[in-house]
Amino acid sequence: MLDAVYGAAAAPVALGLSFSVGDVPTFRLWAPTAHSVKLNIYASASATTATAFDLMEDAASGVWSYTAPDASWTNSAYYTYSVNVFSARPEVRNQRAGRTSAAGHPDR
């Protein structure tokens, strides 16, 4: 059902973490049923508190995104997402990696 509604618009979108020419990270998550999504940025892999940023939704594709203001997170910050779906707020990570840095590298 969701693929039928959002699939065509979401198909060409690069999900996960990508970088501009200046190494500025953009975070994208497909969550068409979410009411809101936050990006949680951690200063290090061992940090226990994060700074949260609201992602913006593209209603046609169900993709939520946030572009950092500059490249300062690249190779230094770690991230998760907080997804509000039907009033639940689970914190999730990039499913293709363990703890993931803003450089896109899994914490090993």
Side-chain angles (χ1 to χ4, degrees):
M1 170 78 176
L2 292 177
D3 287 343
V5 175
Y6 299 100
V13 179
L15 298 175
L17 179 60
S18 62
F19 296 90
S20 69
V21 174
D23 284 336
V24 176
T26 295
F27 303 82
R28 291 185 188 91
L29 177 73
W30 189 64
T33 61
H35 295 283
S36 64
V37 178
K38 290 191 181 291
L39 171 69
N40 306 305
I41 296 293
Y42 296 85
S44 70
S46 60
T48 58
T49 59
T51 302
F53 299 88
D54 292 322
L55 275 73
M56 299 299 298
E57 181 186 21
D58 173 47
S61 67
V63 173
W64 295 76
S65 64
Y66 179 82
T67 299
D70 55 41
S72 63
W73 295 346
T74 303
N75 294 322
S76 65
Y78 290 76
Y79 71 98
T80 61
Y81 299 103
S82 293
V83 182
N84 180 354
V85 181
F86 301 112
S87 76
R89 291 181 178 84
E91 186 170 330
V92 298
R93 60 179 165 78
N94 181 337
Q95 295 301 308
R96 297 179 187 159
R99 289 186 300 186
T100 308
S101 71
H105 304 293
D107 181 35
R108 299 176 196 246

